Amino acid sequence: MYDYLIVGSGLFGSVFAFEANKRGQTCLVVDKRDHIGGNLYTEKTAEINVHKYGAHIFHTNNKDIWEYVNSFVPFNRYTNMPIANYKGEIYNLPFNMNTFNKLWGVKTPSEAKAKIKQQREEVGITDPKNLEEQAISLVGTDIYKKLIKGYTEKQWGRPAEELPSFIIKRLPVRFTYDNNYFNDRYQGIPIGGYTIMIEKMLDKADLKLNTDYFENREELDRVAKKIVFTGMVDQFYNYKYGVLEYRSLRFENEILDIDNYQGNAVVNYTDSDTPYTRIIEHKHFEFGTQNNTVITKEYPKEWKPGKEPYYPINNKKNNEVYKKYKELVDKEKNIIFGGRLGTYKYYDMHQVIGAALEAVRKEFKEDI
Ligand code: FAD
Ligand code: UDP
């Protein structure tokens, strides 16, 4: 008999397992995949650490969380500075003075602000209600058309007018010549890849891979006193209030016999014709000097139950459905729900760690 059955060896499940083990509790971690780590899993291919489920850059403003991850594995000084390729034109991201200068020839922040204000006023948006209006209101119509609309509609498979504004607010808009994609104080990639960090977190837990909770539910429910569940919350309740929607992805990897394919870790393809959203060149995350390189094209894909869920689609309809599941979740005494799928939230890694540590504090009645 274990103290905890942890469904999912992603970041939430692994942080919880580590902290529970540290407090003398026993844990069995099960995952339906054949590896640990969930979506941040990295694997060596041709001597290069490949982010198997898309580029993962750790960033946080929270010193404790930064020190926490660095206590498992040292992080490097990688700073994400993706570029956008719009039909062969190259722009810096996030939207900053370099982007504005390339697009409009403006040189000062006040010139850039005036240009954006003029475009916003032409469209007449005062109170943005969806992603399209929010984007135009932040950066004007030119940037919206070249760098946002095509990318967003490919990524989400829906018109930008039907998407929530918070998605575009993830990206900084800056009136400085600063290409850093994040505003956070701490940023980097674990030296040697993320899998090392997860291995250390799961060091003292028992682990069963290739094990789907739902295919072994009766048996697994009996092996522990409590469950930490990081799979899909609607599936847990047999979809009784309906299906929560996701966006899925397909990754296409290539090993190339050249040392540098695109000169940057991340290049976004922001037009609507290119079927993929971005190309990742993994060696640049770790300043690799290998003679060859590995690239990954990321194709957004429709999700259906049974396919791999990556991005929760937090629009009004889905959030309403989630609210009903949340009422059931709140009544559970022996089950803790966590992570992107368990709480249906578009969480980044630092937020998942924060949420897992919070769940640990609550569970063990600690108020640090
Ligand atoms: P997951 O990683 O999804 O782990 C859940 C685990 O549970 C999986 O291993 C799954 O196989 C398992 N599981 C699910 N159902 C079952 C079941 N029924 N039985 C057994 N096992 C099950 N965050 C950042 O901070 N920076 C980034 O740059 C970044 N880039 C991203 C890029 C992409 C393409 C994606 C998809 C996400 C990105 N993220 C990024 C977010 C990051 O991946 C998540 O915040 C984090 O990995 C979530 O951890 P988790 O434990 O909640 O979920
Ligand atoms: N986005 C965009 N153009 C870009 C990059 C991002 O329009 O070149 C929009 C898009 O809607 C995307 C959102 O900004 O879904 C958030 O981008 P982020 O890079 O944070 O997405 P993630 O890495 O989570 O996929």
Side-chain angles (χ1 to χ4, degrees), residues 15 43 94:
V15 167
E43 186 182 88

Side-chain angles (χ1 to χ4, degrees), residues 7-13 30-33 35-40 53-59 80 170 182 194 211-214 229-232 235 249 251 278 298 308-311 338-342 347-350 352:
V7 179
S9 65
L11 192 54
F12 190 98
V30 298
D31 204 296
K32 62 181 181 183
R33 296 186 187 173
H35 60 76
I36 56 170
N39 291 338
L40 54 73
Y53 302 93
H56 276 72
I57 301 105
F58 195 90
H59 57 97
N80 200 29
R170 286 170 59 84
F182 303 112
Y194 286 93
T211 305
D212 190 322
Y213 170 73
F214 295 107
F229 183 79
T230 73
M232 297 192 302
Q235 189 178 12
L249 298 170
F251 300 100
R278 40 193 175 191
E298 190 174 315
E308 205 54 69
Y310 288 104
Y311 291 92
R340 255 198 189 192
L341 308 174
Y347 269 150
D348 280 331
M349 292 179 280
H350 61 291
V352 169

Side-chain angles (χ1 to χ4, degrees), residues 281-301:
E281 188 170 11
H282 301 267
K283 68 190 301 181
H284 297 307
F285 288 125
E286 297 185 59
F287 316 106
T289 53
Q290 300 86 344
N291 293 326
N292 54 0
T293 193
V294 181
I295 61 163
T296 302
K297 291 180 180 145
E298 190 174 315
Y299 294 81
K301 212 170 82 165

Side-chain angles (χ1 to χ4, degrees), residues 8 28 32 41-42 49 118 141 152 154 159-160 174 192 220 223 239-240 244 249-250 349:
L28 172 66
K32 62 181 181 183
Y41 175 66
T42 47
N49 289 313
Q118 176 209 335
T141 40
T152 295
K154 281 192 288 192
R174 274 192 211 116
L220 287 172
V223 304
Y239 306 107
K240 67 187 281 184
L244 292 167
L249 298 170
R250 178 169 67 84
M349 292 179 280

